[in-house]
Amino acid sequence: MNPVSNERDRSQVRKRPVAVLGATGAVGQTFIRLLENHPWFELAEVAASERSAGRKYGEAVRWVSGGQVPESVASRTIVACDPGKVSSDIVFSALDSSVAGEAELAFAAAGKLVLSNAKNHRMAPDVPLVIAEVNPDHLRVLETQRRNRGWQDGGGIVTNGNCSAIVTALALAPIHERFGITDVFVSTMQAVSGAGYPGVASLDILGNVIPFINDEEDKLETELCKFLGSLGNGTGEIVSAPIAVSAHCNRVPVENGHTVCLSVRLRDRATAGEVEAAVHEWRGAGVARGLPSSPERPVEVIDAADRPQPRRDVQRGGGMTVVVGRIRADSLFDVKLVAMGDNVVRGAAGASVLNAELMVNCGLLPR
Ligand code: NAP
């Protein structure tokens, strides 16, 4: 992927109007927060279910995103998730998966570029599943997607991963790039905000660990391999990396931040120290650097034994940095480590906004 703009051009990017679908949910609210005062995007429309459509955003939303509803959005009238009611060409989707599948197809067919957080289209081979710093080249399959589906005028779907899959892929990308990974065992501890609002019943989660999250293990096992996969030779589609992944997903009584414990088998032998150096040196794809939402370091190694720690990361890095620690030898595979990331920012809305910035930088957004 080649950036099309130099520094001078970037400062002249005109603000593009964008819409948020599912704007009232946990991820939708994070979009609202991240898009307030964004240098390249102007939040023009908010959409949600028929229950909310027609109401003022500030009255319909149950705001759980910290602070107050931004004033500029509180008085906006929510529209229905119907492409005929939304004029922006760039649409961030934070829709519930029960409706995202059909709704996102309808928006793409209407010529809108959908940046989705829902699971529905992630694993289609002609749909890019992108982390800006890890696999920006996968955006090339948009061409195949538009050809396959007959979409014109810039319509298309680009997806974000599952929140735990994004945290895991960012922690493992530096290791896979340097040494190759053949096997991964991953056990997650996922915050309640990952289930949206109202999410998990308090009587189920208070003082408890729930060793089951519907569909989550399958998503983590398959999406990780797609993130670390490659563009298939001549097919114009993504081929997942041949990595054996075994995932255990658990819900824990933590408000925000997903933690993953990983054991990894390497293709090329390396010590824990060499793996730590590779993670420490990694800055991700050059094309994703210097964008408004790019963190200084997509992955940061913390060497204290009781870190990673979510709140500190949220305060320092705006929630876009995945913190990695306790990189050590593993008696079963080769190395083991712990990673933690903000599930609603890096694992959802923030990653989508960064993908949109990447697409601006690469000239891939509708004109
Ligand atoms: P949520 O809090 O339950 O919000 C769901 C949103 O979808 C609300 O705005 C809701 O609008 C809207 N919606 C529900 N039914 C609808 C319908 N029939 N038509 C139109 N809109 C409808 O969920 P969330 O946690 O924000 O998650 C949103 C999406 O992101 C999901 O697909 C989820 O899997 C994914 N995701 C979430 C996280 C996370 O950490 N939370 C991370 C990664 C990905 P109303 O308020 O009007 O009902």
Side-chain angles (χ1 to χ4, degrees):
M1 283 281 118
N2 293 322
V4 293
S5 53
N6 58 28
E7 286 305 319
R8 191 179 61 82
D9 293 334
R10 271 191 212 162
S11 67
Q12 293 173 346
V13 173
R14 85 188 145 87
K15 279 205 184 192
R16 306 286 304 259
V18 298
V20 175
L21 311 181
T24 48
V27 175
Q29 295 178 28
T30 310
F31 273 118
I32 304 289
R33 196 160 53 77
L34 298 177
L35 290 168
E36 196 193 10
N37 305 320
H38 191 282
W40 295 1
F41 303 122
E42 184 87 56
L43 179 64
E45 291 148 306
V46 285
S49 75
E50 296 291 350
R51 295 179 289 276
S52 307
R55 301 176 67 194
K56 299 287 181 211
Y57 184 82
E59 290 161 11
V61 72
R62 172 78 170 82
W63 188 258
V64 292
S65 205
Q68 304 292 320
V69 182
E71 254 177 56
S72 56
V73 186
S75 57
R76 272 185 196 282
T77 301
I78 297 173
V79 298
C81 289
D82 171 346
K85 304 244 161 67
V86 171
S87 59
S88 303
D89 289 334
I90 302 165
V91 171
F92 293 106
S93 169
L95 284 172
D96 189 82
S97 60
S98 60
V99 290
E102 281 187 25
E104 291 172 359
L105 289 174
F107 275 85
K112 302 190 187 292
L113 195 282
V114 182
L115 292 120
S116 169
N117 282 271
K119 67 178 181 182
N120 310 64
H121 302 295
R122 286 179 192 152
M123 290 308 295
D126 64 351
V127 172
L129 174 69
V130 174
I131 298 173
E133 298 95 332
V134 174
N135 59 339
D137 54 319
H138 290 197
L139 286 170
R140 291 207 185 106
V141 302
L142 259 181
E143 281 172 37
T144 312
Q145 185 189 118
R146 288 175 177 142
R147 206 171 41 244
N148 286 351
R149 302 168 190 237
W151 290 338
Q152 293 168 0
D153 305 327
I157 299 176
V158 172
T159 56
N160 260 8
N162 161 269
C163 33
S164 289
I166 293 178
V167 173
T168 304
L170 272 161
L172 295 184
I175 306 173
H176 188 57
E177 278 178 23
R178 180 77 66 88
F179 308 106
I181 290 175
T182 60
D183 303 82
V184 175
F185 172 86
V186 50
S187 185
T188 71
M189 286 159 273
Q190 302 184 211
V192 288
S193 56
Y197 186 84
V200 189
S202 55
L203 285 180
D204 286 341
I205 192 67
L206 281 175
N208 198 14
V209 169
I210 303 173
F212 173 73
I213 304 175
N214 195 30
D215 279 348
E216 201 80 352
E217 291 170 356
D218 180 57
K219 285 189 236 173
L220 182 43
E221 290 172 359
T222 54
E223 292 176 23
L224 176 63
C225 296
K226 188 169 178 183
F227 281 129
L228 300 180
S230 53
L231 289 165
N233 279 344
T235 63
E237 296 184 339
I238 309 291
V239 178
S240 291
I243 300 173
V245 185
S246 172
H248 295 245
C249 292
N250 306 287
R251 186 75 69 195
V252 295
V254 166
E255 185 186 338
N256 188 36
H258 288 355
T259 299
V260 297
C261 292
L262 296 151
S263 286
V264 179
R265 196 194 315 269
L266 304 173
R267 185 195 57 217
D268 303 333
R269 264 183 174 282
T271 64
E274 289 166 335
V275 168
E276 180 163 339
V279 179
H280 180 70
E281 286 159 18
W282 193 78
R283 296 289 181 278
V287 71
R289 290 183 209 147
L291 300 173
S293 303
S294 301
E296 201 180 311
R297 286 172 179 266
V299 180
E300 184 173 354
V301 180
I302 305 279
D303 59 11
D306 63 347
R307 298 293 186 271
Q309 193 223 57
R311 294 221 168 266
R312 186 168 157 228
D313 173 62
V314 170
Q315 282 159 10
R316 283 189 321 170
M320 288 296 281
T321 295
V322 165
V323 184
V324 170
R326 304 203 65 221
I327 303 177
R328 59 214 192 276
D330 183 39
S331 55
L332 191 59
F333 290 167
D334 292 305
V335 284
K336 53 186 172 182
L337 56 143
V338 183
M340 194 291 305
D342 185 310
N343 48 293
V344 288
V345 179
R346 175 48 99 165
S352 250
V353 173
L354 181 58
N355 282 346
E357 293 165 2
L358 173 72
M359 294 181 75
V360 169
N361 212 23
C362 296
L364 292 171
L365 283 183
R367 301 226 170 257

